[in-house]
Amino acid sequence: MFVMAIILRSIVLVGGSALTAGLLCWLAMISADRLHHHGWAAIMILILLSILFLSGMVRNEFVRLSTLCGLCGALFLWISASEPDISAGRNGK
């Protein structure tokens, strides 16, 4: 029974931290889109995560795993923002 509790706790920890990081990436993407600078979303996340590291709140497992997922999300946003817009060339504009 103790092993099942550890497994369930780990699943909830990973799922919750991935959901938190996804929400952070989504909010950064929406706010960068409103500013009309799509490349700023990854920079916003990196600034927030660096503030989190400097504040010393990374002792908790949930926060540590959320920052790791947030870094992966920032990398994804950085790569997706650097790709050229393919649909703009088709319209001739």
Side-chain angles (χ1 to χ4, degrees), residues 38-69:
H38 303 290
W40 287 6
I43 295 170
M44 286 182 200
I45 292 174
L46 291 177
I47 288 172
L48 287 173
L49 292 180
S50 64
I51 290 171
L52 187 69
F53 274 119
L54 292 175
S55 68
M57 292 179 55
V58 249
R59 294 185 182 139
N60 190 357
E61 289 180 43
F62 178 74
V63 175
R64 192 178 310 140
L65 195 56
S66 294
T67 55
L68 182 65
C69 292

Side-chain angles (χ1 to χ4, degrees), residues 15-92:
S17 62
L19 186 66
T20 302
L23 183 64
L24 176 69
C25 291
W26 180 73
L27 287 173
M29 184 180 63
I30 294 296
S31 61
D33 188 39
R34 288 186 181 253
L35 293 172
H36 302 290
H37 292 283
H38 303 290
W40 287 6
I43 295 170
M44 286 182 200
I45 292 174
L46 291 177
I47 288 172
L48 287 173
L49 292 180
S50 64
I51 290 171
L52 187 69
F53 274 119
L54 292 175
S55 68
M57 292 179 55
V58 249
R59 294 185 182 139
N60 190 357
E61 289 180 43
F62 178 74
V63 175
R64 192 178 310 140
L65 195 56
S66 294
T67 55
L68 182 65
C69 292
L71 286 174
C72 293
L75 180 67
F76 175 73
L77 286 174
W78 189 2
I79 291 171
S80 67
S82 65
E83 291 182 4
D85 191 17
I86 297 172
S87 64
R90 292 183 187 166
N91 295 334

